Amino acid sequence: MNPSSRDLRILIMAPTARDAGITTDLLNGAGIETATFTTLDTLVNALNDGAAAVLVAEEHLTAAHKAPLSMWLARQPPWSDLPILILTRPGADSPESAEAWRTLGNVTLLERPTRVTTLLSAAQTSIRARSRQYQIRGHLTERLKNEQALRSADRRKDEFLATLGHELRNPLAPISNSLEIMKLSGAFDNPRIEQAGAVMERQIHHLNRLVDDLLEVSRITRGVIEVRKESLDLTSIVKAAIETSRPVLDNLRHELSVELDPDAMFVGGDPVRLTQVFANLLNNAAKYTNHGGRISITTRREGGEAIISVKDNGIGIAPNALSQVFDMFMQVDRSTRRSQGGLGIGLTLVRSLVGMHGGSVEARSEGPGLGSEFIVRLPLLIDQRASTEQPRRMKPLPSRRILIVDDSRDGGESLATLLRVLGAEVALAHSGRHALDCVDTFKPDVVLLDIGMPGMDGYEVARRIRANPANRHISLIALTGWGQDEDRRRSVAAGFDHHLVKPADIEQLRQLLTVA
Ligand code: ADP
């Protein structure tokens, strides 16, 4: 923002009207714009429209009158330091000018009678200093604009990631349902088809993982992730992570050595998230180590902390990349990515999740070709009791009348077939209105309801079903691509009993249908 002519004027309040006239003529003659005032209040008001400096006689700066000016100066933005030129009475320093000098900041005292050259040079120096301040104002405004643009681009990126994850989930659901149907209907009895099916299953699993990572990272960056903490035995977490990563480790014929502290170590954490942390580190160790490598995972106690190390003898990390591997979308060398692929967000997730558990993670490597080590530190719990909650046993699916509502025909039909194979009686509706008719005619025990549908969305359908007391017994399950905490809150408010994210884990769905 360039300074306007108002920004460069000098506001004058001289001892007398005559002095004001003479000073104005002098300054105007030197090409300096001015404005004269007869009260300090009006002068201070005019400061808001812009000024290079104030030229004021000391007799106007009495304690009673100078308060508004002091206040205005105190409230200046950080770039501003308005020059004040005070015309003092001849002779010894007066208490007013001494006080003004002390309290008004950027003050120059000009003793009367002031020589013309002194007045002009003081005015010009003030304008130059003020022009510099305007330059700083320009830079700050520019920086603020850039920051806002960056923030908005960042927000759009987060929204894009959430939408992308959601959109990718939709086609994945019918594909994995159809695969499940093929399996259950004996299509895989033929060994060649079984082999092809296994490939499809692995790849779908991998795609699901990528989509989960995408959604997870967008949830974390928007601060809408929850960790449900309980008291956990670290050994069981590490074992679960090894179990998760076992196929990748075996596939690449790595040798895994496990060395766990013999004493139980308890941490406060979310078992799913912490397992994810160590499985991610083990997967990376496998991915970034040549076939037949050596990988180790060890746990030990140090003071009040549990130290978990995941070490490999793989491709290593260059010193300059060590601090960046945790940044989002960071991949040291895209050409070295192994068959598992990735998006460069695994370690971002690891760091965020560990941070949410009050811990830290650090990467170490002697350099390329010399292997890597990732060290996680988690605070140990003082009260060392593991959660006593037992996993619920799964019962077989009893006979249920299930209404599936989904505007995606593939998604709805593949799920319907799958549930029929499992023994349920299923009806299908492809819109909100159709769903309400089906509730009256089919009389379901459970409605599996998509949320995002054109016309009447799932929330509205749920509200209308709940509005009829005759439907009180119906169990409403949201089955949607949107799985953020806010989405879950909205579905509870609309009357849903449960909220599942597509593609629904079939065992989880079976459990819900069993208790519904
Ligand atoms: P991705 O594995 O999907 O690329 P990550 O966030 O998990 O994303 O890892 C980021 C980058 O850090 C990887 O691309 C790789 O360059 C480097 N990296 C991670 N783990 C290791 C490891 N154990 N050894 C060498 N490099 C690694």
Side-chain angles (χ1 to χ4, degrees), residues 280-281 284-289 312 314-317 325-327 330-333 336-337 341-348 371-374:
N280 259 340
L281 293 178
N284 275 353
K287 275 197 303 184
Y288 299 106
T289 299
D312 61 59
I315 64 168
I317 302 170
V325 290
F326 296 101
D327 294 346
M330 162 65 189
Q331 295 181 319
V332 175
D333 177 358
T336 59
R337 273 187 291 156
L343 299 169
I345 49 185
L347 287 180
T348 312
S372 314
E373 183 178 13
F374 285 81

Side-chain angles (χ1 to χ4, degrees), residues 176-416:
S176 64
N177 287 342
S178 304
L179 197 66
E180 210 61 47
I181 292 165
M182 287 162 73
K183 222 160 61 182
L184 287 167
S185 55
F188 287 1
D189 293 349
N190 176 332
R192 282 174 68 181
I193 297 189
E194 191 204 351
Q195 217 176 22
V199 172
M200 286 168 72
E201 215 169 4
R202 271 199 304 278
Q203 296 305 320
I204 288 173
H205 181 253
H206 181 51
L207 268 176
N208 269 329
R209 232 196 55 216
L210 291 180
V211 170
D212 281 349
D213 276 2
L214 259 184
L215 286 174
E216 192 95 315
V217 85
S218 79
R219 252 175 272 166
I220 286 181
T221 48
R222 288 178 300 151
V224 288
I225 202 167
E226 254 179 47
V227 279
R228 291 189 195 85
K229 287 196 188 159
E230 52 189 271
S231 173
L232 298 172
D233 177 6
L234 201 58
T235 305
S236 62
I237 297 296
V238 170
K239 284 187 175 156
I242 294 173
E243 206 53 44
T244 311
S245 304
R246 182 61 77 186
V248 187
L249 293 162
D250 287 351
N251 214 13
L252 298 166
R253 297 196 312 279
H254 293 312
E255 185 193 310
L256 177 71
S257 77
V258 184
E259 221 175 283
L260 303 179
D261 193 294
D263 294 331
M265 284 193 277
F266 291 94
V267 293
D270 183 322
V272 178
R273 305 282 187 214
L274 282 182
T275 307
Q276 197 180 355
V277 164
F278 300 116
N280 259 340
L281 293 178
L282 283 169
N283 278 349
N284 275 353
K287 275 197 303 184
Y288 299 106
T289 299
N290 289 325
H291 284 222
R294 281 197 317 279
I295 293 169
S296 70
I297 182 162
T298 57
T299 64
R300 64 191 165 86
R301 175 194 303 265
E302 202 179 280
E305 285 183 328
I307 317 276
I308 307 96
S309 145
V310 177
K311 199 168 174 179
D312 61 59
N313 65 341
I315 64 168
I317 302 170
N320 61 345
L322 271 179
S323 60
Q324 297 164 20
V325 290
F326 296 101
D327 294 346
M328 202 185 300
F329 306 127
M330 162 65 189
Q331 295 181 319
V332 175
D333 177 358
R334 279 161 207 269
S335 63
T336 59
R337 273 187 291 156
R338 297 299 193 264
S339 55
Q340 289 285 313
L343 299 169
I345 49 185
L347 287 180
T348 312
L349 279 177
V350 165
R351 187 179 52 186
S352 308
L353 291 174
V354 170
M356 283 177 199
H357 286 82
S360 63
V361 57
E362 164 197 5
R364 288 186 188 170
S365 172
E366 297 294 317
L370 297 173
S372 314
E373 183 178 13
F374 285 81
I375 298 171
V376 175
R377 290 164 193 275
L378 289 171
L380 282 168
L381 282 186
I382 302 181
D383 181 9
Q384 309 239 311
R385 259 174 322 204
S387 167
T388 50
E389 207 179 308
Q390 294 294 318
R392 242 184 298 161
R393 284 211 21 226
M394 211 175 66
K395 299 189 196 103
L397 182 63
S399 75
R400 286 273 183 271
R401 296 172 70 78
I402 302 172
L403 172 63
I404 298 173
V405 189
D406 196 336
D407 62 315
S408 146
R409 286 191 183 259
D410 279 352
E413 270 156 24
S414 58
L415 184 61

